[in-house]
Amino acid sequence: MKKILFTVIAAFLLILPVSAAYNASTKTPVVGANLLTKNGIPSSNVKFMVVSGNVDNSEYSTNKTINVSTNDLTYAGNDNEVAAVVASELGHIISGHSAKNKIWSLFTGGASSDSETLTSSFVSSYKTLKEDKEADNVAVDLMVKAGYNPLAIIVVLTKQTGTYWEAIQGKPANAERAMNVYNYVSYAYPEKIKAGYGCNEYRNFLTYANSVVAERKADSKAESKNTKTQEKAKKNATSQITKFKTRGGLSGWDAAYELLNSSN
């Protein structure tokens, strides 16, 4: 009887369709549209394009196209992690980073500063760590509002290959950005920290993060500084998103660029 039952179960399993591997690229438009609609950002004319290599979203204000890199989507294994990638791109757009750089070019004729030269390999994916952190903070707010776990940003960042210097110091990949997200979520959405994120990458990151937090809390000045930093970051992220919606999908820098460009 047991042999017959085993044969029946085995035959049933054979006729079940094989589950396809998670495809982050095909999920991108759906997740992206959800991020927009749940945050009250019009999505009817917005397109999501998955492109290879670095991305350039500097023309979003005119073509309403959000480009997402396959390089980043490689590290996305579920909807939360796809949302992390897309929301970070949206964070850059909402903060007007590309438009700010275009305004700089208008005044300088495209000349680069020494700092820009040093980061030339990262020009198409945005120039500075400061901008990445600002975009990540906006991304956290967008993800929470849309029902995604913002800790996925940390997972996507730390899945990547770290620098030689990070390896020597025993830090995870993109440690500074990941820690910025952790600090911001801890301040703005502590319930998300309590709930956590169920994967080894996040658990490994926590080993690093817990030591950083413990050291900071042992220094009252450092803890006070962090609190003030997060207060400022939360106000900025909320303001950027609100103004973006009020202007119908334009950042303040985009609006300024359109005025300057039209007067030339």
Side-chain angles (χ1 to χ4, degrees):
M1 181 66 184
K2 289 182 179 180
K3 186 175 180 180
I4 295 174
L5 182 61
F6 175 80
T7 302
V8 171
I9 293 173
F12 178 74
L13 291 174
L14 285 173
I15 64 174
L16 285 175
V18 178
S19 297
Y22 184 84
N23 191 320
S25 294
T26 59
K27 286 284 189 173
T28 296
V30 177
V31 171
N34 191 50
L35 281 167
L36 294 176
T37 55
K38 291 293 179 64
N39 281 280
I41 301 172
S43 62
S44 58
N45 296 320
V46 177
K47 295 177 293 183
F48 291 87
M49 297 288 293
V50 176
V51 299
S52 59
N54 294 328
V55 299
D56 180 3
N57 284 311
S58 60
E59 302 302 322
Y60 172 80
S61 62
T62 55
N63 63 20
K64 298 300 179 186
T65 298
I66 299 172
N67 295 300
V68 182
S69 173
T70 54
N71 291 357
D72 296 328
L73 289 174
T74 298
Y75 304 102
N78 56 48
D79 285 7
N80 284 306
E81 291 162 23
V82 170
V85 175
V86 178
S88 289
E89 291 299 337
L90 277 167
H92 282 291
I93 291 169
I94 289 170
S95 300
H97 294 150
S98 291
K100 180 168 63 173
N101 293 328
K102 289 195 293 185
I103 289 174
W104 172 258
S105 294
L106 284 178
F107 286 108
T108 63
S112 297
S113 66
D114 290 340
S115 61
E116 287 173 325
T117 300
L118 288 172
T119 57
S120 59
S121 62
F122 301 103
V123 167
S124 12
S125 34
Y126 311 106
K127 287 185 174 69
T128 66
L129 180 60
K130 182 180 178 181
E131 288 180 343
D132 284 331
K133 288 180 177 180
E134 183 178 32
D136 289 340
N137 292 341
V138 172
V140 167
D141 284 7
L142 295 175
M143 290 179 69
V144 171
K145 187 74 172 179
Y148 297 108
N149 190 335
L151 298 178
I153 300 175
I154 293 172
V155 175
V156 170
L157 288 172
T158 57
K159 278 183 181 180
Q160 299 172 28
T161 303
T163 63
Y164 181 69
W165 184 241
E166 285 172 332
I168 289 177
Q169 294 180 300
K171 294 181 177 180
N174 297 301
E176 192 165 346
R177 278 182 67 185
M179 198 66 215
N180 173 72
V181 172
Y182 186 80
N183 289 335
Y184 184 72
V185 176
S186 296
Y187 172 81
Y189 307 100
E191 71 279 5
K192 299 297 182 182
I193 296 293
K194 185 176 180 180
Y197 195 98
C199 72
N200 288 331
E201 288 85 1
Y202 183 70
R203 284 188 283 270
N204 292 338
F205 168 77
L206 275 184
T207 301
Y208 166 73
N210 288 338
S211 64
V212 173
V213 171
E215 183 178 348
R216 187 181 69 223
K217 286 187 174 181
D219 183 340
S220 59
K221 288 184 178 179
E223 183 67 5
S224 176
K225 181 180 178 180
N226 176 66
T227 299
K228 290 178 181 177
T229 297
Q230 302 315 319
E231 288 175 352
K232 184 178 178 180
K234 178 58 179 168
K235 288 179 182 178
N236 179 65
T238 301
S239 175
Q240 296 282 22
I241 294 170
T242 300
K243 290 177 180 177
F244 187 78
K245 292 191 291 186
T246 301
R247 296 188 186 98
L250 281 179
S251 70
W253 289 105
D254 282 306
Y257 176 76
E258 288 190 359
L259 287 172
L260 286 169
N261 206 36
S262 62
S263 63
N264 291 339

